[in-house]
């Protein structure tokens, strides 16, 4: 079962890494949702249900964030963010087993809040702050492919931040 979990986790990691190399916010979110689905399967295979539950709770939040420009969603943006985070915390605390259980709760809150920002750079920066928490959780629960993925995701996010910053600077220089 651990080998299958490792393979599924590796696939989740590959998609997660791809997310932050995509240019458009909407594509980042879609790729993120698919990646989370694979992480859920991995955590279930490992018997780490809080990790699975946090990724499950992140999917609706991510889907709603993808529609943040919709008039209804936009109108109730702050209450939606608060409600979603209260639900995430409630689910996490209901499954609480130890202090380690807090890591995926905080990580998912950071990741889902990140998706509400408009600027892709901010999405990436806030998402980057969640990676150390996921890394530690994944190491402690035996999701080694995911732990490796968190380290790689941090590098990937930093590369994307630098790459798009350089593109923006080059475009600004052309306009001078």
């Amino acid at each position: 079962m651990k080998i299958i979990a490792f393979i599924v986790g590796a696939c989740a990691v590959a998609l997660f890494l791809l997310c932050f190399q995509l240019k458009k916010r909407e594509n980042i979110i879609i790729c993120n949702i698919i990646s989370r689905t694979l992480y859920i399967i991995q955590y279930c295979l490992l018997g780490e249900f809080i990790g699975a539950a946090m990724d499950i709770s992140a999917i609706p939040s991510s889907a709603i964030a993808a529609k943040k420009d919709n008039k209804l969603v936009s109108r109730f943006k702050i209450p939606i963010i608060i409600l979603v985070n209260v639900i995430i915390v409630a689910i996490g605390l209901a499954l609480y087993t130890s202090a380690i259980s807090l890591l995926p709760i905080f990580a998912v809150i950071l990741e889902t809040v990140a998706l509400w920002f408009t600027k892709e750079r901010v999405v990436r920066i806030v998402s980057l702050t969640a990676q150390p928490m996921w890394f530690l959780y994944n190491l402690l629960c035996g999701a080694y492919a995911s732990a490796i993925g968190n380290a790689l995701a941090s590098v990937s996010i930093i590369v994307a931040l630098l790459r798009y910053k350089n593109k923006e600077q080059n475009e600004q220089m052309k306009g001078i």
Side-chain angles (χ1 to χ4, degrees):
M1 200 62 82
K2 287 189 177 194
I3 293 172
I4 296 170
F6 185 87
I7 293 168
V8 171
C11 292
V13 166
L15 282 174
F16 189 72
L17 295 176
L18 174 64
C19 287
F20 296 103
Q21 297 306 314
L22 301 173
K23 186 169 183 168
K24 299 280 185 193
R25 182 181 158 280
E26 295 81 18
N27 294 336
I28 294 171
I29 292 170
I30 291 167
C31 192
N32 184 285
I33 290 170
I34 296 167
S35 173
R36 280 194 190 282
T37 304
L38 292 172
Y39 280 120
I40 292 163
I41 294 167
Q42 172 202 233
Y43 289 129
C44 287
L45 290 170
L46 292 171
E48 293 295 331
F49 299 109
I50 191 157
M54 289 299 94
D55 276 332
I56 290 169
S57 67
I59 289 174
S61 177
S62 299
I64 295 168
K67 303 289 184 194
K68 78 178 193 83
D69 295 327
N70 172 290
K71 285 183 183 181
L72 182 62
V73 173
S74 177
R75 183 174 177 197
F76 296 103
K77 177 180 167 181
I78 300 300
I80 290 170
I81 294 170
I82 291 169
L83 177 63
V84 166
N85 285 324
V86 166
I87 292 169
I88 289 169
V89 170
I91 291 169
L93 293 178
L95 295 171
Y96 179 89
T97 56
S98 69
I100 295 166
S101 302
L102 297 174
L103 294 169
I105 297 169
F106 292 131
V108 164
I109 288 172
L110 287 169
E111 289 173 336
T112 57
V113 166
L115 300 176
W116 286 90
F117 289 99
T118 301
K119 295 186 181 228
E120 288 82 1
R121 179 172 174 74
V122 178
V123 172
R124 290 181 182 96
I125 290 169
V126 177
S127 296
L128 180 62
T129 64
Q131 294 311 304
M133 288 176 250
W134 275 122
F135 177 77
L136 185 56
Y137 175 76
N138 286 325
L139 273 182
L140 295 172
C141 77
Y144 302 118
S146 293
I148 293 166
N150 295 125
L152 293 173
S154 296
V155 171
S156 177
I157 294 169
I158 292 167
V159 166
L161 285 166
L162 294 172
R163 192 173 93 197
Y164 289 116
K165 181 179 180 182
N166 289 340
K167 271 188 177 181
E168 289 171 8
Q169 287 175 342
N170 288 340
E171 288 171 8
Q172 288 175 352
M173 293 299 286
K174 288 178 185 177
I176 292 179

